């Protein structure tokens, strides 16, 4: 188990589904999904990373090829199950449900069916009821289209990565405008904002510090204490098909994601009755 992370807190309770989302690209969304999933697995939690982004960067970031027919595309259209698409990775306790470019087309086809926002939720029910995973992290597309809304309908909480720049608040304001309709419509009344994580932080710049300060003032305790630094090692790791804790476990990026994962685990742990 990684030092600094709590003992397994969620293994004895129902699977937690976390949607990692921001409709703005280039904010560290996939980097966060991959590395939090890897840190959860390293901490002793059986974890599934569900790559729902047609760019399939989470898939390649875990060392898997982007293969036609390997994604949730067919199950979302009513052909087959998600379980048969799940693959092991080279990392203990971490599985992946890969993506592929075909997922781009599924949004158009899904909206033709009834109750199209609940398709993913229904497909995930057997995965959740199997008890195979403590956590499922869904790497959403960088948009608020049908795939992301399906992830929101299935999730217990949304994890929002925000880049340390002045346009950062646009990403979370849009998600906030979507959260309430998802709850109010009955699609997912229990959906919560799990938290906001500041990414690509450069302590040497006044801008990064100002943005973090403003986001904390605006969102308070929803913002995680941990900030993710902008580092070369974090940027390199995906090209080697490895999460940062397996690429350079002593790096600043690895330490940051380890501590962030500890914060996330505490937030999703069962509350004392």
């Amino acid at each position: 188990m990684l030092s600094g992370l709590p003992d397994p807190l969620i293994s004895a309770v129902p699977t937690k589904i976390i949607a990692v989302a921001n409709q703005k690209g280039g904010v560290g969304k996939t980097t966060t999904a991959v590395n939090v999933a890897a840190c959860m697995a390293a901490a002793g939690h059986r974890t599934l990373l569900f790559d729902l982004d047609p760019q399939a960067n989470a898939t390649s970031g875990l060392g898997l090829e982007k293969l036609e027919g390997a994604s949730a595309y067919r199950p979302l259209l009513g052909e087959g199950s998600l379980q048969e698409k799940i693959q092991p990775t080279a990392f203990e306790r971490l599985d992946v449900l890969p993506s592929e470019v075909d997922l781009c087309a599924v949004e158009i086809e899904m909206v033709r069916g009834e109750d199209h926002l609940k398709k993913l939720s229904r497909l995930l029910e057997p995965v959740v009821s199997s008890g195979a995973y403590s956590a499922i992290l869904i790497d959403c597309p960088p948009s608020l289209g049908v795939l992301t809304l399906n992830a929101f309908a299935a999730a217990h909480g949304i994890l929002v990565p925000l880049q340390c720049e002045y346009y950062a608040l646009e990403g979370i304001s849009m998600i906030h405008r979507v959260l309430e309709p998802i709850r109010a419509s009955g699609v997912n009344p229990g959906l919560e904002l799990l938290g906001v994580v500041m990414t690509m932080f450069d302590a040497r710049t006044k801008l990064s510090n100002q943005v973090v300060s403003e986001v904390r003032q605006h969102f308070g305790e929803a913002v995680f204490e941990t900030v993710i630094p902008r580092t070369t090692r974090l940027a390199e790791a995906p090209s080697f098909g490895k999460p940062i804790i397996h690429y350079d476990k002593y790096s600043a990026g690895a330490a940051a994601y380890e501590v962030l994962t500890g914060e996330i685990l505490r937030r999703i742990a069962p509350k004392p009755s």
Side-chain angles (χ1 to χ4, degrees):
M1 184 179 301
L2 292 178
S3 60
L5 288 183
D7 290 336
L9 295 170
I10 55 176
S11 56
V13 299
T15 305
K16 298 293 184 181
I17 302 175
I18 301 169
V20 185
N22 190 323
Q23 90 278 0
K24 188 175 184 298
V27 299
K29 173 186 61 66
T30 297
T31 298
T32 296
V34 167
N35 287 295
V36 169
C39 285
M40 284 186 171
H45 303 282
R46 185 80 182 177
T47 305
L48 172 64
L49 180 59
F50 188 165
D51 191 353
L52 199 60
D53 185 345
Q55 296 176 86
N57 290 331
T59 300
S60 59
L62 288 175
L64 279 76
E65 293 186 31
K66 305 172 185 180
L67 300 176
E68 184 177 351
S71 74
Y73 174 71
R74 289 295 174 189
L76 283 168
L77 297 181
E79 302 172 20
S81 69
L82 288 182
Q83 288 104 314
E84 63 191 23
K85 302 295 184 180
I86 294 172
Q87 298 184 30
T89 70
F91 314 106
E92 191 175 3
R93 291 181 298 274
L94 179 58
D95 291 344
V96 65
L97 205 162
S99 183
E100 60 174 322
V101 71
D102 280 0
L103 276 177
C104 289
V106 80
E107 296 208 359
I108 300 171
E109 300 179 51
M110 282 174 65
V111 294
R112 297 172 182 165
E114 294 183 6
D115 204 15
H116 63 276
L117 293 182
K118 298 285 286 182
K119 285 188 175 182
L120 185 61
S121 180
R122 288 193 293 268
L123 284 170
L124 278 171
E125 284 177 2
V127 181
V128 171
S129 62
S130 72
Y133 301 102
S134 294
I136 298 173
L137 275 74
I138 305 175
D139 185 30
C140 299
S143 69
L144 289 175
V146 173
L147 286 174
T148 299
L149 293 178
N150 262 262
F152 288 2
H156 297 97
I158 301 174
L159 175 62
V160 184
L162 288 186
Q163 186 178 358
C164 292
E165 61 165 41
Y166 271 121
Y167 291 114
L169 290 177
E170 292 183 1
I172 197 166
S173 63
M174 185 69 72
I175 286 176
H176 262 299
R177 289 200 292 270
V178 171
L179 266 175
E180 189 51 42
I182 291 282
R183 293 173 182 143
S185 66
V187 171
N188 188 356
L191 181 63
E192 297 179 351
L193 175 64
L194 175 61
V196 178
V197 55
M198 303 304 300
T199 64
M200 304 182 187
F201 177 76
D202 187 344
R204 300 168 299 178
T205 68
K206 187 176 180 180
L207 175 62
S208 280
N209 286 283
Q210 286 178 337
V211 171
V212 170
S213 178
E214 289 183 16
V215 172
R216 291 196 192 283
Q217 288 177 13
H218 194 77
F219 295 105
E221 293 183 356
V223 185
F224 290 99
E225 286 296 320
T226 309
V227 295
I228 307 300
R230 184 191 294 273
T231 74
T232 301
R233 303 302 274 173
L234 267 177
E236 289 174 348
S239 65
F240 290 87
K242 293 181 178 181
I244 188 63
I245 59 168
H246 298 288
Y247 177 62
D248 187 351
K249 65 180 179 179
Y250 298 114
S251 65
Y257 273 113
E258 177 182 322
V259 177
L260 172 65
T261 302
E263 286 194 72
I264 292 171
L265 289 173
R266 285 186 284 274
R267 289 194 184 189
I268 64 178
K271 302 299 185 290
S273 55

